[in-house]
Amino acid sequence: MRKLCPNIDKDDGLETVLEVPIPEEMFASMGNNATLRSQNMLSWMRAQNSDKWSQPLIAARINELRFLLYLVGSPLIPLQVQLGHSVQKPVKDCSIQASTAKYIVQQYIAATGGQPALNAVHSMCVTGHVKISVSEFHQGEDTTNVKTTQETGGFVLWQKDPDLWCLELVMSGCKVISGSNGKLSWRHSSNQRTPISKGPPRPLRRFLQAWLDPRSTANLFTDATCIGEKIIDDEDCFILKLETSPAVREAQSGPNYEIIHHTIWGYFSQRSGLLIQFEDSRLLRMRTKDDDDVFWETSTESVMTDYKYVDGVNIAHGGKTRVTVFRYGDQPANHSRQMEEKWKIEDVDFNIWGLTRLHFMPPAEILNEELAESTK
């Protein structure tokens, strides 16, 4: 991962530390020699706030990248995970399926390091890189090739108990920032002309996708039910299922859209107790200007590999995520699309000194809105 870049203000000045490290592969693609790569990287950084983003061709590419990063790189989990230090729940009056799920979660806690090791983690900083590719675009019964090549990027993820986190993800000149300050969560891109999306506080899917926070994962699935078994990559796994309640779906719906369902599945290895695969499926109904209903169905599947211990906590350092998106309801615009992300964790540090709530402040636009609402 490259952590330094040319000095923006002085060509002969000291190199600048990148806020988000980028993969060497991404830096190498910027030119065929070190001088050209540095010049192109410098131009790319200077262009972040320029009017070049408004040009039609560049704007179209940025919109495509933002779509990928929002949908694949920084999606949110529908449930607010409670981060109590104990995830043990009583099994009294539970069904067999629910009590079995609680037992499986306890085995997962042991496999990831045990309750004392998990409780010792109060904050973290993670750096890594991703590769996102897009498959064919299907419109109606026709198939059209999308000219999007494989994109490479890097990310930095900060987190602090109980529900403070911030993700910065850079890919091919587009930067997406997602965060939560404990009261609300938000996402926005480096193109400031786009509105900032915000909502109730929710955890980032990447926490569970890379299993960077096993305690959050255990808390999430402790209310699940065991619905059976399945073999995944020659591993016998238990299947835990979690349905989002109507109250949660209603709270996350808006005036122009409704979440019809959002379901989560976890596949836990019977041999190791670790989480091998994570899936979720969401169906969204949107109301168009013509007062028609359009449905968006998103199915996501993540497979985790390369588990390693960091300070006594066993977390996955690599994996693959596949996303399938269906849009239907408006016949001429019906289409489906598939995307794939390969990710790898480079560095993980726990219990970061000096990390406070000020590091998780939302953008100024959101702060101004909250201030305006509080003065009404």
Side-chain angles (χ1 to χ4, degrees), residues 315-333:
I315 60 176
H317 281 65
K320 181 187 297 183
T321 298
R322 294 186 182 92
V323 180
T324 304
V325 180
F326 296 94
R327 182 187 188 278
Y328 52 91
D330 187 7
Q331 292 299 324

Side-chain angles (χ1 to χ4, degrees), residues 72-259:
V72 185
S74 59
L76 303 178
I77 293 293
L79 304 176
Q80 185 174 6
V81 179
Q82 302 298 323
L83 293 182
H85 282 283
S86 175
V87 295
Q88 298 183 3
K89 298 288 184 70
V91 297
K92 183 180 179 180
D93 299 328
C94 285
S95 65
I96 295 178
Q97 293 84 355
S99 59
T100 302
K102 289 176 172 55
Y103 173 79
I104 294 170
V105 168
Q106 292 303 314
Q107 298 304 306
Y108 168 73
I109 293 173
T112 52
Q115 194 76 60
L118 303 189
N119 289 345
V121 176
H122 302 286
S123 62
M124 71 177 74
C125 177
V126 181
T127 59
H129 62 81
V130 297
K131 292 182 180 180
I132 298 180
S133 57
V134 182
S135 70
E136 293 179 334
F137 174 80
H138 302 268
Q139 183 165 354
E141 297 182 354
D142 299 327
T143 300
T144 305
N145 289 326
V146 178
K147 297 181 180 180
T148 303
T149 58
Q150 186 180 70
E151 304 288 351
T152 303
F155 67 88
V156 173
L157 177 58
W158 301 84
Q159 188 259 353
K160 182 178 175 63
D161 284 351
D163 49 10
L164 306 174
W165 58 266
C166 180
L167 169 74
E168 295 182 76
L169 201 159
V170 173
M171 180 175 289
S172 300
C174 185
K175 182 177 181 180
V176 168
I177 301 176
S178 302
S180 171
N181 67 348
K183 297 181 179 179
L184 55 87
S185 56
W186 68 87
R187 290 191 295 182
H188 73 114
S189 70
S190 55
N191 183 352
Q192 297 299 325
R193 293 177 178 81
T194 59
I196 298 174
S197 60
K198 63 177 182 177
R202 291 185 285 163
L204 187 69
R205 192 181 192 276
R206 194 169 296 277
F207 280 121
L208 283 76
Q209 171 184 311
W211 312 116
L212 295 170
D213 191 352
R215 187 151 49 94
S216 294
T217 305
N219 273 284
L220 177 68
F221 281 105
T222 194
D223 292 324
T225 57
C226 182
I227 62 172
E229 303 176 13
K230 184 177 181 180
I231 298 176
I232 298 178
D233 293 336
D234 298 326
E235 286 273 359
D236 292 325
C237 298
F238 293 112
I239 308 173
L240 300 192
K241 181 180 179 181
L242 187 66
E243 289 279 4
T244 305
S245 67
V248 172
R249 295 198 304 267
E250 183 179 356
Q252 296 176 10
S253 298
N256 298 321
Y257 65 93
E258 176 189 3
I259 300 175

Side-chain angles (χ1 to χ4, degrees), residues 2 22-34 36-38 40-41 152:
R2 178 164 291 269
I22 64 173
E24 289 292 342
E25 178 182 346
M26 181 178 173
F27 180 70
S29 66
M30 294 183 178
N32 53 18
N33 59 67
L36 183 58
R37 294 186 195 114
S38 297
N40 288 337
M41 188 174 184
T152 303

Side-chain angles (χ1 to χ4, degrees), residues 289-308:
K289 294 181 179 179
D290 298 328
D291 209 28
D292 295 325
D293 287 337
V294 175
F295 296 88
W296 289 85
E297 185 172 5
T298 305
S299 300
T300 307
E301 173 189 296
S302 294
V303 178
M304 287 69 65
T305 59
D306 195 20
Y307 272 90
K308 297 178 183 178

